[in-house]
Amino acid sequence: DAIAFTGGIGEHSPTVRLELCERLCWLGVRLDEGSRRHIADGLVEVTGDASGVRIFVVTAQEDLQMWRDWEELG
């Protein structure tokens, strides 16, 4: 089981990630205390100790996907 935060809010709002994970604590979701920082590009795991669910922040690459779609049309 895993939760992936991506897109503008998922990538750039540690507060939203924290609040959502706190609401899901009854499912065993525990966010890493250090994950309140801004996440750089890539895939970063922010799973807390004793979490029953892995938690990731994934950089969205909408521009790259749009380019791939454009290439397919051309």
Side-chain angles (χ1 to χ4, degrees):
D1 294 330
I3 295 173
F5 290 100
T6 191
I9 293 175
E11 290 176 54
H12 305 293
S13 181
T15 303
V16 169
R17 291 193 300 264
L18 177 64
E19 288 179 10
L20 181 65
C21 288
E22 284 177 346
R23 290 179 185 207
L24 296 174
C25 69
W26 62 276
L27 291 172
V29 175
R30 303 287 184 272
L31 189 65
D32 176 34
E33 292 296 322
S35 69
R36 293 192 49 90
R37 65 192 184 288
H38 175 74
I39 302 295
D41 291 345
L43 172 71
V44 178
E45 185 166 1
V46 293
T47 306
D49 294 335
S51 182
V53 179
R54 293 180 74 185
I55 307 166
F56 298 92
V57 177
V58 183
T59 302
Q61 297 178 325
E62 292 98 346
D63 55 342
L64 179 59
Q65 186 59 48
M66 287 188 294
W67 178 256
R68 288 178 180 157
D69 292 344
W70 176 256
E71 290 272 308
E72 281 185 28
L73 293 173

Short mmCIF file of all heavy atoms in Angstrom, two decimals:
data_model
loop_
_atom_site.label_atom_id
_atom_site.label_comp_id
_atom_site.label_asym_id
_atom_site.label_seq_id
_atom_site.Cartn_x
_atom_site.Cartn_y
_atom_site.Cartn_z
N ASP A 1 0.84 -1.17 0.00
CA ASP A 1 0.00 0.00 0.00
C ASP A 1 0.89 1.24 0.00
O ASP A 1 1.94 1.25 0.64
CB ASP A 1 -0.89 0.03 1.23
CG ASP A 1 -1.89 -1.11 1.23
OD1 ASP A 1 -2.28 -1.54 0.14
OD2 ASP A 1 -2.27 -1.56 2.31
N ALA A 2 0.45 2.28 -0.71
CA ALA A 2 1.23 3.51 -0.78
C ALA A 2 0.32 4.70 -1.05
O ALA A 2 -0.77 4.55 -1.60
CB ALA A 2 2.28 3.41 -1.86
N ILE A 3 0.81 5.87 -0.66
CA ILE A 3 0.18 7.15 -0.99
C ILE A 3 1.21 7.94 -1.77
O ILE A 3 2.38 8.01 -1.36
CB ILE A 3 -0.23 7.91 0.28
CG1 ILE A 3 -1.30 7.15 1.04
CG2 ILE A 3 -0.70 9.32 -0.08
CD1 ILE A 3 -1.63 7.74 2.39
N ALA A 4 0.79 8.52 -2.88
CA ALA A 4 1.68 9.36 -3.68
C ALA A 4 1.11 10.77 -3.76
O ALA A 4 -0.03 10.96 -4.18
CB ALA A 4 1.85 8.78 -5.08
N PHE A 5 1.89 11.74 -3.31
CA PHE A 5 1.52 13.14 -3.44
C PHE A 5 2.23 13.68 -4.67
O PHE A 5 3.45 13.53 -4.80
CB PHE A 5 1.97 13.93 -2.21
CG PHE A 5 1.20 13.62 -0.97
CD1 PHE A 5 1.71 12.76 -0.01
CD2 PHE A 5 -0.05 14.17 -0.77
CE1 PHE A 5 1.00 12.46 1.14
CE2 PHE A 5 -0.78 13.89 0.39
CZ PHE A 5 -0.25 13.03 1.34
N THR A 6 1.49 14.33 -5.57
CA THR A 6 2.09 14.88 -6.77
C THR A 6 1.31 16.11 -7.21
O THR A 6 0.31 16.46 -6.60
CB THR A 6 2.15 13.81 -7.89
OG1 THR A 6 2.96 14.29 -8.95
CG2 THR A 6 0.77 13.43 -8.38
N GLY A 7 1.77 16.76 -8.24
CA GLY A 7 1.11 17.98 -8.71
C GLY A 7 1.45 19.15 -7.81
O GLY A 7 2.21 19.02 -6.85
N GLY A 8 0.90 20.30 -8.12
CA GLY A 8 1.23 21.52 -7.40
C GLY A 8 1.10 21.42 -5.90
O GLY A 8 2.04 21.70 -5.15
N ILE A 9 -0.05 21.01 -5.41
CA ILE A 9 -0.27 20.95 -3.96
C ILE A 9 0.48 19.78 -3.33
O ILE A 9 1.11 19.93 -2.30
CB ILE A 9 -1.78 20.88 -3.64
CG1 ILE A 9 -2.44 22.19 -4.05
CG2 ILE A 9 -2.00 20.59 -2.16
CD1 ILE A 9 -3.93 22.21 -3.89
N GLY A 10 0.41 18.63 -3.95
CA GLY A 10 1.08 17.46 -3.39
C GLY A 10 2.58 17.62 -3.26
O GLY A 10 3.19 17.16 -2.30
N GLU A 11 3.18 18.29 -4.25
CA GLU A 11 4.63 18.49 -4.23
C GLU A 11 5.06 19.66 -3.34
O GLU A 11 6.10 19.60 -2.71
CB GLU A 11 5.13 18.81 -5.65
CG GLU A 11 5.09 17.66 -6.60
CD GLU A 11 5.52 18.11 -7.98
OE1 GLU A 11 6.63 18.68 -8.11
OE2 GLU A 11 4.75 17.90 -8.92
N HIS A 12 4.27 20.72 -3.32
CA HIS A 12 4.75 21.97 -2.75
C HIS A 12 4.05 22.41 -1.47
O HIS A 12 4.32 23.50 -0.98
CB HIS A 12 4.63 23.08 -3.79
CG HIS A 12 5.34 22.75 -5.06
ND1 HIS A 12 6.71 22.63 -5.15
CD2 HIS A 12 4.85 22.47 -6.29
CE1 HIS A 12 7.04 22.31 -6.38
NE2 HIS A 12 5.94 22.21 -7.09
N SER A 13 3.17 21.59 -0.92
CA SER A 13 2.49 21.99 0.31
C SER A 13 2.68 20.95 1.41
O SER A 13 1.87 20.03 1.57
CB SER A 13 0.99 22.21 0.06
OG SER A 13 0.38 22.61 1.26
N PRO A 14 3.74 21.11 2.20
CA PRO A 14 3.95 20.19 3.31
C PRO A 14 2.79 20.21 4.30
O PRO A 14 2.49 19.19 4.92
CB PRO A 14 5.23 20.69 3.98
CG PRO A 14 5.82 21.69 3.08
CD PRO A 14 4.78 22.12 2.10
N THR A 15 2.12 21.34 4.42
CA THR A 15 0.98 21.44 5.35
C THR A 15 -0.16 20.54 4.91
O THR A 15 -0.76 19.83 5.72
CB THR A 15 0.51 22.90 5.45
OG1 THR A 15 1.61 23.70 5.87
CG2 THR A 15 -0.64 23.03 6.43
N VAL A 16 -0.47 20.53 3.63
CA VAL A 16 -1.53 19.67 3.11
C VAL A 16 -1.17 18.20 3.30
O VAL A 16 -2.00 17.39 3.73
CB VAL A 16 -1.83 19.97 1.63
CG1 VAL A 16 -2.73 18.92 1.01
CG2 VAL A 16 -2.45 21.35 1.48
N ARG A 17 0.09 17.85 3.01
CA ARG A 17 0.52 16.45 3.21
C ARG A 17 0.35 16.04 4.67
O ARG A 17 -0.18 14.97 4.97
CB ARG A 17 1.98 16.28 2.78
CG ARG A 17 2.20 16.39 1.30
CD ARG A 17 3.58 15.91 0.88
NE ARG A 17 4.68 16.63 1.47
CZ ARG A 17 5.33 17.64 0.92
NH1 ARG A 17 4.95 18.10 -0.26
NH2 ARG A 17 6.35 18.21 1.53
N LEU A 18 0.78 16.91 5.58
CA LEU A 18 0.67 16.61 7.01
C LEU A 18 -0.78 16.45 7.45
O LEU A 18 -1.13 15.48 8.12
CB LEU A 18 1.35 17.72 7.83
CG LEU A 18 1.26 17.58 9.34
CD1 LEU A 18 1.98 16.32 9.80
CD2 LEU A 18 1.81 18.81 10.03
N GLU A 19 -1.63 17.41 7.06
CA GLU A 19 -3.03 17.34 7.48
C GLU A 19 -3.73 16.11 6.93
O GLU A 19 -4.51 15.46 7.63
CB GLU A 19 -3.75 18.62 7.06
CG GLU A 19 -3.33 19.82 7.88
CD GLU A 19 -4.02 21.11 7.46
OE1 GLU A 19 -4.97 21.05 6.65
OE2 GLU A 19 -3.59 22.17 7.95
N LEU A 20 -3.47 15.77 5.69
CA LEU A 20 -4.09 14.58 5.11
C LEU A 20 -3.63 13.31 5.83
O LEU A 20 -4.45 12.46 6.17
CB LEU A 20 -3.79 14.48 3.62
CG LEU A 20 -4.43 13.29 2.93
CD1 LEU A 20 -5.94 13.39 2.96
CD2 LEU A 20 -3.93 13.16 1.52
N CYS A 21 -2.34 13.21 6.06
CA CYS A 21 -1.82 12.02 6.74
C CYS A 21 -2.33 11.92 8.17
O CYS A 21 -2.59 10.81 8.66
CB CYS A 21 -0.30 12.00 6.69
SG CYS A 21 0.33 11.65 5.02
N GLU A 22 -2.48 13.05 8.84
CA GLU A 22 -3.04 13.02 10.19
C GLU A 22 -4.47 12.49 10.18
O GLU A 22 -4.88 11.76 11.06
CB GLU A 22 -2.98 14.40 10.82
CG GLU A 22 -1.59 14.79 11.28
CD GLU A 22 -1.52 16.20 11.85
OE1 GLU A 22 -2.47 16.99 11.67
OE2 GLU A 22 -0.48 16.51 12.47
N ARG A 23 -5.23 12.86 9.15
CA ARG A 23 -6.62 12.38 9.05
C ARG A 23 -6.68 10.90 8.71
O ARG A 23 -7.71 10.25 8.94
CB ARG A 23 -7.37 13.18 8.01
CG ARG A 23 -7.63 14.60 8.45
CD ARG A 23 -8.35 15.39 7.40
NE ARG A 23 -8.47 16.76 7.83
CZ ARG A 23 -9.43 17.57 7.44
NH1 ARG A 23 -10.35 17.14 6.60
NH2 ARG A 23 -9.46 18.80 7.87
N LEU A 24 -5.59 10.37 8.15
CA LEU A 24 -5.55 8.95 7.77
C LEU A 24 -4.79 8.10 8.79
O LEU A 24 -4.51 6.93 8.53
CB LEU A 24 -4.91 8.79 6.39
CG LEU A 24 -5.68 9.43 5.23
CD1 LEU A 24 -4.88 9.32 3.94
CD2 LEU A 24 -7.05 8.79 5.08
N CYS A 25 -4.49 8.66 9.96
CA CYS A 25 -3.71 7.92 10.95
C CYS A 25 -4.42 6.64 11.40
O CYS A 25 -3.77 5.67 11.75
CB CYS A 25 -3.36 8.79 12.14
SG CYS A 25 -4.77 9.27 13.16
N TRP A 26 -5.74 6.63 11.33
CA TRP A 26 -6.49 5.43 11.72
C TRP A 26 -6.22 4.26 10.77
O TRP A 26 -6.47 3.10 11.10
CB TRP A 26 -7.99 5.73 11.81
CG TRP A 26 -8.60 6.14 10.51
CD1 TRP A 26 -8.62 7.40 9.97
CD2 TRP A 26 -9.28 5.30 9.59
NE1 TRP A 26 -9.26 7.39 8.76
CE2 TRP A 26 -9.69 6.11 8.50
CE3 TRP A 26 -9.58 3.94 9.56
CZ2 TRP A 26 -10.36 5.60 7.40
CZ3 TRP A 26 -10.27 3.45 8.47
CH2 TRP A 26 -10.64 4.27 7.41
N LEU A 27 -5.64 4.57 9.59
CA LEU A 27 -5.24 3.52 8.64
C LEU A 27 -3.77 3.12 8.82
O LEU A 27 -3.26 2.31 8.06
CB LEU A 27 -5.44 4.01 7.20
CG LEU A 27 -6.87 4.19 6.74
CD1 LEU A 27 -6.90 4.87 5.37
CD2 LEU A 27 -7.57 2.84 6.67
N GLY A 28 -3.12 3.70 9.80
CA GLY A 28 -1.71 3.40 10.04
C GLY A 28 -0.77 4.30 9.25
O GLY A 28 0.41 4.01 9.12
N VAL A 29 -1.28 5.41 8.72
CA VAL A 29 -0.47 6.34 7.95
C VAL A 29 0.32 7.24 8.90
O VAL A 29 -0.26 7.90 9.76
CB VAL A 29 -1.36 7.20 7.01
CG1 VAL A 29 -0.53 8.25 6.30
CG2 VAL A 29 -2.10 6.31 6.03
N ARG A 30 1.64 7.25 8.75
CA ARG A 30 2.51 8.08 9.58
C ARG A 30 3.51 8.79 8.66
O ARG A 30 4.31 8.15 7.99
CB ARG A 30 3.29 7.26 10.61
CG ARG A 30 2.43 6.42 11.55
CD ARG A 30 1.73 7.28 12.59
NE ARG A 30 0.99 6.48 13.53
CZ ARG A 30 -0.27 6.07 13.36
NH1 ARG A 30 -0.93 6.37 12.27
NH2 ARG A 30 -0.88 5.35 14.28
N LEU A 31 3.48 10.11 8.67
CA LEU A 31 4.36 10.92 7.84
C LEU A 31 5.66 11.20 8.60
O LEU A 31 5.63 11.44 9.80
CB LEU A 31 3.66 12.23 7.50
CG LEU A 31 4.30 13.15 6.47
CD1 LEU A 31 4.32 12.48 5.10
CD2 LEU A 31 3.52 14.45 6.39
N ASP A 32 6.77 11.20 7.90
CA ASP A 32 8.07 11.52 8.50
C ASP A 32 8.06 12.96 8.98
O ASP A 32 7.66 13.87 8.25
CB ASP A 32 9.18 11.32 7.46
CG ASP A 32 10.54 11.71 7.97
OD1 ASP A 32 10.81 11.54 9.18
OD2 ASP A 32 11.35 12.20 7.17
N GLU A 33 8.50 13.19 10.20
CA GLU A 33 8.51 14.54 10.77
C GLU A 33 9.35 15.51 9.94
O GLU A 33 9.07 16.69 9.88
CB GLU A 33 9.02 14.50 12.21
CG GLU A 33 8.10 13.80 13.18
CD GLU A 33 6.76 14.51 13.33
OE1 GLU A 33 6.73 15.76 13.33
OE2 GLU A 33 5.74 13.82 13.45
N GLY A 34 10.41 15.02 9.31
CA GLY A 34 11.27 15.88 8.51
C GLY A 34 10.72 16.20 7.14
O GLY A 34 11.33 16.95 6.38
N SER A 35 9.56 15.68 6.80
CA SER A 35 9.03 15.86 5.45
C SER A 35 8.33 17.20 5.26
O SER A 35 7.77 17.45 4.21
CB SER A 35 8.05 14.73 5.12
OG SER A 35 6.89 14.85 5.89
N ARG A 36 8.37 18.05 6.26
CA ARG A 36 7.71 19.35 6.14
C ARG A 36 8.52 20.34 5.31
O ARG A 36 8.13 21.46 5.09
CB ARG A 36 7.42 19.93 7.52
CG ARG A 36 6.37 19.10 8.26
CD ARG A 36 5.87 19.79 9.48
NE ARG A 36 5.47 21.15 9.25
CZ ARG A 36 4.23 21.54 8.90
NH1 ARG A 36 3.30 20.65 8.70
NH2 ARG A 36 3.94 22.82 8.73
N ARG A 37 9.64 19.89 4.80
CA ARG A 37 10.46 20.75 3.94
C ARG A 37 9.95 20.70 2.50
O ARG A 37 9.16 19.83 2.15
CB ARG A 37 11.91 20.28 3.98
CG ARG A 37 12.10 18.89 3.37
CD ARG A 37 13.47 18.32 3.66
NE ARG A 37 13.68 17.06 3.00
CZ ARG A 37 13.13 15.89 3.33
NH1 ARG A 37 12.27 15.83 4.33
NH2 ARG A 37 13.40 14.79 2.68
N HIS A 38 10.43 21.61 1.67
CA HIS A 38 10.10 21.59 0.25
C HIS A 38 10.82 20.41 -0.40
O HIS A 38 11.98 20.17 -0.12
CB HIS A 38 10.53 22.89 -0.42
CG HIS A 38 10.33 22.89 -1.89
ND1 HIS A 38 9.08 23.00 -2.46
CD2 HIS A 38 11.20 22.77 -2.91
CE1 HIS A 38 9.19 22.95 -3.77
NE2 HIS A 38 10.48 22.82 -4.07
N ILE A 39 10.12 19.69 -1.23
CA ILE A 39 10.69 18.53 -1.89
C ILE A 39 11.25 18.95 -3.25
O ILE A 39 10.58 19.60 -4.04
CB ILE A 39 9.62 17.43 -2.10
CG1 ILE A 39 9.01 17.03 -0.76
CG2 ILE A 39 10.19 16.24 -2.82
CD1 ILE A 39 9.95 16.38 0.21
N ALA A 40 12.49 18.57 -3.52
CA ALA A 40 13.11 18.86 -4.81
C ALA A 40 12.59 17.86 -5.86
O ALA A 40 11.79 16.98 -5.55
CB ALA A 40 14.62 18.76 -4.69
N ASP A 41 13.04 18.02 -7.07
CA ASP A 41 12.60 17.14 -8.16
C ASP A 41 12.91 15.68 -7.86
O ASP A 41 13.89 15.35 -7.22
CB ASP A 41 13.30 17.52 -9.47
CG ASP A 41 12.82 18.86 -9.99
OD1 ASP A 41 11.78 19.33 -9.51
OD2 ASP A 41 13.48 19.42 -10.87
N GLY A 42 12.05 14.82 -8.37
CA GLY A 42 12.29 13.40 -8.27
C GLY A 42 11.22 12.66 -7.49
O GLY A 42 10.07 13.08 -7.43
N LEU A 43 11.64 11.58 -6.90
CA LEU A 43 10.79 10.73 -6.09
C LEU A 43 11.41 10.68 -4.70
O LEU A 43 12.54 10.25 -4.54
CB LEU A 43 10.72 9.33 -6.70
CG LEU A 43 10.03 8.25 -5.88
CD1 LEU A 43 8.53 8.50 -5.85
CD2 LEU A 43 10.31 6.89 -6.48
N VAL A 44 10.65 11.14 -3.70
CA VAL A 44 11.17 11.18 -2.33
C VAL A 44 10.20 10.43 -1.43
O VAL A 44 9.00 10.70 -1.44
CB VAL A 44 11.31 12.65 -1.84
CG1 VAL A 44 11.80 12.68 -0.40
CG2 VAL A 44 12.23 13.43 -2.75
N GLU A 45 10.74 9.50 -0.66
CA GLU A 45 9.90 8.78 0.30
C GLU A 45 9.85 9.58 1.60
O GLU A 45 10.88 10.00 2.12
CB GLU A 45 10.42 7.38 0.57
CG GLU A 45 9.50 6.58 1.46
CD GLU A 45 9.79 5.09 1.48
OE1 GLU A 45 10.73 4.64 0.82
OE2 GLU A 45 9.04 4.38 2.18
N VAL A 46 8.64 9.79 2.11
CA VAL A 46 8.44 10.57 3.34
C VAL A 46 7.68 9.75 4.38
O VAL A 46 6.99 10.29 5.23
CB VAL A 46 7.72 11.91 3.04
CG1 VAL A 46 8.61 12.83 2.23
CG2 VAL A 46 6.39 11.69 2.35
N THR A 47 7.84 8.44 4.31
CA THR A 47 7.18 7.52 5.24
C THR A 47 7.76 7.69 6.64
O THR A 47 8.98 7.72 6.82
CB THR A 47 7.37 6.07 4.78
OG1 THR A 47 6.92 5.94 3.43
CG2 THR A 47 6.61 5.10 5.67
N GLY A 48 6.89 7.79 7.62
CA GLY A 48 7.32 7.90 9.00
C GLY A 48 7.55 6.55 9.64
O GLY A 48 7.18 5.51 9.10
N ASP A 49 8.18 6.57 10.81
CA ASP A 49 8.41 5.34 11.58
C ASP A 49 7.09 4.69 11.92
O ASP A 49 6.11 5.36 12.22
CB ASP A 49 9.18 5.64 12.86
CG ASP A 49 10.59 6.13 12.58
OD1 ASP A 49 11.13 5.80 11.51
OD2 ASP A 49 11.14 6.84 13.44
N ALA A 50 7.04 3.40 11.86
CA ALA A 50 5.87 2.59 12.22
C ALA A 50 4.66 2.86 11.32
O ALA A 50 3.54 2.56 11.70
CB ALA A 50 5.50 2.80 13.69
N SER A 51 4.88 3.40 10.13
CA SER A 51 3.77 3.61 9.20
C SER A 51 3.45 2.29 8.51
O SER A 51 4.34 1.57 8.08
CB SER A 51 4.14 4.66 8.15
OG SER A 51 3.04 4.88 7.28
N GLY A 52 2.18 2.00 8.40
CA GLY A 52 1.75 0.80 7.70
C GLY A 52 1.59 1.04 6.20
O GLY A 52 1.27 0.12 5.46
N VAL A 53 1.82 2.27 5.78
CA VAL A 53 1.65 2.67 4.38
C VAL A 53 2.87 3.48 3.98
O VAL A 53 3.29 4.37 4.71
CB VAL A 53 0.38 3.54 4.22
CG1 VAL A 53 0.21 3.99 2.79
CG2 VAL A 53 -0.85 2.78 4.68
N ARG A 54 3.45 3.17 2.82
CA ARG A 54 4.57 3.97 2.32
C ARG A 54 4.01 5.25 1.71
O ARG A 54 2.97 5.24 1.06
CB ARG A 54 5.38 3.18 1.32
CG ARG A 54 6.08 2.00 1.99
CD ARG A 54 6.89 1.19 1.03
NE ARG A 54 8.12 1.94 0.69
CZ ARG A 54 9.00 1.52 -0.22
NH1 ARG A 54 8.79 0.41 -0.88
NH2 ARG A 54 10.06 2.24 -0.47
N ILE A 55 4.73 6.36 1.90
CA ILE A 55 4.28 7.67 1.43
C ILE A 55 5.39 8.28 0.58
O ILE A 55 6.56 8.33 1.01
CB ILE A 55 3.95 8.59 2.62
CG1 ILE A 55 2.98 7.90 3.57
CG2 ILE A 55 3.40 9.91 2.12
CD1 ILE A 55 2.85 8.57 4.92
N PHE A 56 5.02 8.76 -0.60
CA PHE A 56 5.98 9.34 -1.53
C PHE A 56 5.51 10.70 -2.01
O PHE A 56 4.32 10.96 -2.12
CB PHE A 56 6.14 8.43 -2.76
CG PHE A 56 6.67 7.08 -2.45
CD1 PHE A 56 5.81 6.02 -2.19
CD2 PHE A 56 8.03 6.85 -2.42
CE1 PHE A 56 6.30 4.76 -1.90
CE2 PHE A 56 8.53 5.58 -2.14
CZ PHE A 56 7.66 4.54 -1.87
N VAL A 57 6.48 11.55 -2.33
CA VAL A 57 6.23 12.79 -3.05
C VAL A 57 6.88 12.60 -4.42
O VAL A 57 8.07 12.30 -4.51
CB VAL A 57 6.81 14.02 -2.33
CG1 VAL A 57 6.58 15.28 -3.15
CG2 VAL A 57 6.20 14.15 -0.94
N VAL A 58 6.07 12.76 -5.47
CA VAL A 58 6.53 12.49 -6.83
C VAL A 58 6.42 13.78 -7.64
O VAL A 58 5.35 14.38 -7.70
CB VAL A 58 5.67 11.40 -7.50
CG1 VAL A 58 6.19 11.08 -8.89
CG2 VAL A 58 5.60 10.15 -6.64
N THR A 59 7.51 14.18 -8.26
CA THR A 59 7.50 15.37 -9.10
C THR A 59 6.69 15.09 -10.35
O THR A 59 6.96 14.14 -11.09
CB THR A 59 8.93 15.77 -9.49
OG1 THR A 59 9.67 16.00 -8.31
CG2 THR A 59 8.92 17.01 -10.34
N ALA A 60 5.67 15.91 -10.57
CA ALA A 60 4.87 15.80 -11.79
C ALA A 60 5.65 16.43 -12.93
O ALA A 60 6.33 17.44 -12.75
CB ALA A 60 3.54 16.51 -11.62
N GLN A 61 5.55 15.84 -14.09
CA GLN A 61 6.24 16.37 -15.26
C GLN A 61 5.23 16.55 -16.39
O GLN A 61 5.32 15.93 -17.44
CB GLN A 61 7.37 15.44 -15.68
CG GLN A 61 8.45 15.30 -14.62
CD GLN A 61 9.53 14.34 -15.02
OE1 GLN A 61 9.29 13.34 -15.69
NE2 GLN A 61 10.75 14.63 -14.60
N GLU A 62 4.27 17.43 -16.14
CA GLU A 62 3.22 17.65 -17.13
C GLU A 62 3.79 18.14 -18.46
O GLU A 62 3.33 17.73 -19.52
CB GLU A 62 2.18 18.66 -16.63
CG GLU A 62 1.34 18.17 -15.48
CD GLU A 62 1.86 18.67 -14.13
OE1 GLU A 62 3.02 19.17 -14.06
OE2 GLU A 62 1.12 18.55 -13.15
N ASP A 63 4.80 18.99 -18.40
CA ASP A 63 5.37 19.51 -19.63
C ASP A 63 6.00 18.40 -20.47
O ASP A 63 5.85 18.37 -21.69
CB ASP A 63 6.40 20.61 -19.34
CG ASP A 63 7.49 20.16 -18.38
OD1 ASP A 63 7.31 19.16 -17.67
OD2 ASP A 63 8.54 20.84 -18.33
N LEU A 64 6.67 17.46 -19.81
CA LEU A 64 7.26 16.33 -20.53
C LEU A 64 6.18 15.46 -21.15
O LEU A 64 6.30 15.03 -22.30
CB LEU A 64 8.13 15.50 -19.59
CG LEU A 64 8.80 14.27 -20.19
CD1 LEU A 64 9.71 14.67 -21.35
CD2 LEU A 64 9.59 13.54 -19.12
N GLN A 65 5.10 15.22 -20.43
CA GLN A 65 4.01 14.41 -20.98
C GLN A 65 3.34 15.11 -22.15
O GLN A 65 3.00 14.47 -23.16
CB GLN A 65 2.98 14.09 -19.90
CG GLN A 65 1.90 13.14 -20.37
CD GLN A 65 2.46 11.81 -20.84
OE1 GLN A 65 3.29 11.20 -20.17
NE2 GLN A 65 2.03 11.35 -22.00
N MET A 66 3.16 16.42 -22.06
CA MET A 66 2.57 17.16 -23.18
C MET A 66 3.46 17.05 -24.42
O MET A 66 2.97 16.89 -25.54
CB MET A 66 2.34 18.63 -22.81
CG MET A 66 1.18 18.81 -21.85
SD MET A 66 0.73 20.53 -21.56
CE MET A 66 2.16 21.16 -20.73
N TRP A 67 4.78 17.15 -24.20
CA TRP A 67 5.72 17.01 -25.32
C TRP A 67 5.61 15.62 -25.95
O TRP A 67 5.58 15.50 -27.17
CB TRP A 67 7.15 17.29 -24.87
CG TRP A 67 8.13 17.12 -25.98
CD1 TRP A 67 8.97 16.08 -26.19
CD2 TRP A 67 8.33 18.01 -27.08
NE1 TRP A 67 9.68 16.26 -27.32
CE2 TRP A 67 9.30 17.45 -27.90
CE3 TRP A 67 7.75 19.23 -27.44
CZ2 TRP A 67 9.75 18.06 -29.07
CZ3 TRP A 67 8.20 19.83 -28.61
CH2 TRP A 67 9.17 19.25 -29.40
N ARG A 68 5.54 14.58 -25.14
CA ARG A 68 5.39 13.22 -25.67
C ARG A 68 4.11 13.08 -26.46
O ARG A 68 4.09 12.46 -27.53
CB ARG A 68 5.44 12.21 -24.53
CG ARG A 68 6.79 12.04 -23.93
CD ARG A 68 6.76 11.06 -22.76
NE ARG A 68 8.07 10.90 -22.19
CZ ARG A 68 8.30 10.49 -20.95
NH1 ARG A 68 7.28 10.19 -20.15
NH2 ARG A 68 9.53 10.37 -20.50
N ASP A 69 3.02 13.64 -25.94
CA ASP A 69 1.74 13.59 -26.66
C ASP A 69 1.84 14.33 -27.99
O ASP A 69 1.32 13.87 -29.01
CB ASP A 69 0.62 14.18 -25.81
CG ASP A 69 0.30 13.33 -24.60
OD1 ASP A 69 0.71 12.14 -24.56
OD2 ASP A 69 -0.36 13.84 -23.67
N TRP A 70 2.51 15.49 -28.00
CA TRP A 70 2.68 16.26 -29.22
C TRP A 70 3.51 15.48 -30.24
O TRP A 70 3.19 15.46 -31.43
CB TRP A 70 3.37 17.58 -28.89
CG TRP A 70 3.66 18.41 -30.11
CD1 TRP A 70 4.87 18.56 -30.70
CD2 TRP A 70 2.73 19.15 -30.88
NE1 TRP A 70 4.76 19.37 -31.79
CE2 TRP A 70 3.46 19.75 -31.92
CE3 TRP A 70 1.37 19.39 -30.78
CZ2 TRP A 70 2.84 20.56 -32.87
CZ3 TRP A 70 0.77 20.19 -31.72
CH2 TRP A 70 1.50 20.78 -32.75
N GLU A 71 4.55 14.80 -29.77
CA GLU A 71 5.39 13.99 -30.65
C GLU A 71 4.58 12.88 -31.32
O GLU A 71 4.77 12.59 -32.50
CB GLU A 71 6.55 13.38 -29.86
CG GLU A 71 7.59 14.39 -29.43
CD GLU A 71 8.65 14.59 -30.47
OE1 GLU A 71 9.23 13.59 -30.94
OE2 GLU A 71 8.87 15.75 -30.84
N GLU A 72 3.68 12.26 -30.58
CA GLU A 72 2.85 11.19 -31.14
C GLU A 72 1.93 11.72 -32.23
O GLU A 72 1.65 11.01 -33.19
CB GLU A 72 2.00 10.54 -30.03
CG GLU A 72 2.75 9.57 -29.18
CD GLU A 72 1.83 8.88 -28.18
OE1 GLU A 72 0.61 8.74 -28.45
OE2 GLU A 72 2.35 8.49 -27.11
N LEU A 73 1.45 12.95 -32.08
CA LEU A 73 0.55 13.53 -33.07
C LEU A 73 1.31 13.92 -34.34
O LEU A 73 0.72 13.95 -35.42
CB LEU A 73 -0.15 14.76 -32.51
CG LEU A 73 -1.13 14.50 -31.38
CD1 LEU A 73 -1.61 15.82 -30.81
CD2 LEU A 73 -2.29 13.66 -31.87
N GLY A 74 2.61 14.25 -34.21
CA GLY A 74 3.39 14.75 -35.33
C GLY A 74 3.94 13.66 -36.13
O GLY A 74 4.01 13.37 -37.22
#
